[in-house]
Amino acid sequence: MPVRHFLTLNDLTTDELDRLLDHASKLKRSWRDGRVRDSLKNRVLAMIFEKSSTRTRVSFEAGMTQLGGAALFLSSRDTQLGRGEPIEDSARVISSMADAVMIRTFEHETVRRFASVASAPVINALTDDFHPCQLLADMQTYREHRGSIRGATVTWVGDGNNMCNSYINAAQLFGFHLNVACPEGYEPDRTMLAKAGNQVSVFHDPAEAAKGTHLLVTDVWASMGQEDEQAARASTFANYQVNEQLMSLAAKNALFMHCLPAHRGEEISVNMLEHPGSVVWDEAENRLHAQKALLEFLILGQLD
Ligand code: CP
Ligand code: NVA
């Protein structure tokens, strides 16, 4: 069987994604019931981090341990990757010793090059362009709270960044309409928008985009690698804060999500994480369950 990778959500079909999320919720229940599962006994996940992380590292590492396997934390600062060893050479070697490889890096092309020669599944744990693992958790969280997202409207407020691009992919795979509200010049990738057609609408007025929406989502204004732009972005995005007032325009019982880390007083109001519609803590925890399902799927080829 050819090796399957998870570089964007598009690497799985809608049917596989639905089954994977069902399985993630089952794994969550069985873990909460204290049942021991060793489906990945003696398996190893190599985790390459070229950017910081809390949730991604903890969820993948805890997930592998809970399934009976182990995870290796590899920072580019301490490996030959940081000293210029070609990515393809590293990919051949690391994937020959590990059962799967997770990478968080800058250019999306890096994970593509790694995967092109890897003999084990490669998982994109965030690049400048995509964050598909977060979308698994977000979609699991929505369905656990509200059921199927098919036919719903989701509103993204903020930068047309890696998370926004993954929401565009999700809109097409899960069948929801996506409104994107962003300042001029910060729209998502034009090719992706063209491909999504009328499934994605771009607004410059957050209030218009939020009207009647079922899920309001935002993210930091300056992503990792854009630290120098923080001050300029804070002024450009000032009118794009998700707060109680914006949330009041959404549908009754609308949910609020943020992949975290969040900056209170910037992209969200001080109390937004405690809003009755906020499901951010479930969303963060679901990184663990969704990725355990993903690891079983990629390493064992099973979804139950
Ligand atoms: N949401 C997310 O990926 O968080 P970390 O950067 O802490 O991994
Ligand atoms: N867009 C953010 C997401 C962090 C999880 C970043 O890339 O820094």
Side-chain angles (χ1 to χ4, degrees), residues 186-203:
Y186 292 86
E187 293 84 0
D189 182 75
R190 226 183 267 182
T191 321
M192 287 195 64
L193 284 177
K195 213 174 134 225
N198 58 12
Q199 204 141 13
V200 179
S201 311
V202 176
F203 297 81

Side-chain angles (χ1 to χ4, degrees), residues 9-10 13-15 17-18 21 135 139 142-143 147-154 166-178 196 198-200 214:
L9 279 183
N10 293 334
T13 64
T14 296
D15 179 57
L17 287 167
D18 281 338
L21 296 186
L135 261 291
M139 293 299 102
Y142 189 92
R143 65 158 63 192
S148 173
I149 200 166
R150 188 163 291 282
T153 299
V154 175
S166 286
Y167 261 94
I168 295 175
N169 286 341
Q172 295 163 88
L173 286 155
F174 289 94
F176 59 81
H177 188 84
L178 181 68
N198 58 12
Q199 204 141 13
V200 179
H214 301 100

Side-chain angles (χ1 to χ4, degrees), residues 112-131:
R112 266 210 282 251
R113 283 172 56 196
F114 196 104
S116 71
V117 295
S119 55
V122 175
I123 299 170
N124 173 6
L126 184 146
T127 61
D128 290 344
D129 295 340
F130 297 100
H131 194 6

Side-chain angles (χ1 to χ4, degrees), residues 247-272:
M247 197 65 184
S248 73
L249 304 174
K252 196 169 165 263
N253 293 329
L255 298 178
F256 165 69
M257 292 189 198
H258 188 312
C259 63
L260 305 178
H263 298 81
R264 293 170 176 83
E266 292 181 29
E267 79 274 5
I268 54 162
S269 55
V270 172
N271 295 317
M272 197 57 215

Side-chain angles (χ1 to χ4, degrees), residues 91-280:
R92 282 195 179 91
V93 174
I94 296 169
S95 68
S96 74
M97 302 181 194
D99 297 278
V101 185
M102 184 236 82
I103 310 177
R104 168 167 285 198
T105 188
F106 293 86
E107 288 175 20
H108 190 70
E109 191 52 24
T110 303
V111 293
R112 266 210 282 251
R113 283 172 56 196
F114 196 104
S116 71
V117 295
S119 55
V122 175
I123 299 170
N124 173 6
L126 184 146
T127 61
D128 290 344
D129 295 340
F130 297 100
H131 194 6
C133 290
Q134 184 67 51
L135 261 291
L136 295 181
D138 288 21
M139 293 299 102
Q140 181 186 347
T141 307
Y142 189 92
R143 65 158 63 192
E144 286 179 348
H145 282 269
R146 295 285 181 268
S148 173
I149 200 166
R150 188 163 291 282
T153 299
V154 175
T155 300
W156 173 268
V157 179
D159 191 16
N161 63 10
N162 44 9
M163 276 294 299
C164 181
N165 287 340
S166 286
Y167 261 94
I168 295 175
N169 286 341
Q172 295 163 88
L173 286 155
F174 289 94
F176 59 81
H177 188 84
L178 181 68
N179 290 340
V180 176
C182 56
E184 267 179 64
Y186 292 86
E187 293 84 0
D189 182 75
R190 226 183 267 182
T191 321
M192 287 195 64
L193 284 177
K195 213 174 134 225
N198 58 12
Q199 204 141 13
V200 179
S201 311
V202 176
F203 297 81
H204 295 301
D205 176 5
E208 211 187 316
K211 251 182 243 163
T213 198
H214 301 100
L215 168 63
L216 204 49
V217 195
T218 193
D219 185 14
V220 292
W221 290 338
S223 285
M224 289 181 276
Q226 297 171 333
E227 288 78 8
D228 294 353
E229 300 172 33
Q230 174 66 41
R233 281 170 173 260
S235 108
T236 309
F237 284 83
N239 294 327
Y240 290 81
Q241 184 185 75
V242 173
N243 50 35
E244 291 73 4
Q245 200 187 336
L246 195 67
M247 197 65 184
S248 73
L249 304 174
K252 196 169 165 263
N253 293 329
L255 298 178
F256 165 69
M257 292 189 198
H258 188 312
C259 63
L260 305 178
H263 298 81
R264 293 170 176 83
E266 292 181 29
E267 79 274 5
I268 54 162
S269 55
V270 172
N271 295 317
M272 197 57 215
L273 299 186
E274 285 74 47
H275 187 282
S278 167
V279 288
V280 295

Side-chain angles (χ1 to χ4, degrees), residues 19-43 60-70 288-304:
R19 287 167 54 209
L20 187 145
L21 296 186
D22 283 346
H23 185 45
S25 294
K26 272 188 217 146
L27 289 175
K28 180 178 181 172
R29 285 193 294 274
S30 106
W31 176 71
R32 285 192 171 168
D33 289 346
R35 266 176 272 156
V36 175
R37 186 176 176 97
D38 60 359
S39 54
L40 295 182
K41 190 166 181 228
N42 296 331
R43 306 292 185 134
F60 270 112
E61 198 162 328
M64 280 304 291
T65 303
Q66 288 170 16
L67 294 173
L288 171 70
H289 310 298
Q291 289 161 198
K292 281 164 78 174
L294 177 68
L295 287 164
E296 286 194 355
F297 174 63
L298 294 176
I299 296 174
L300 306 173
Q302 70 183 44
L303 278 171
D304 48 29

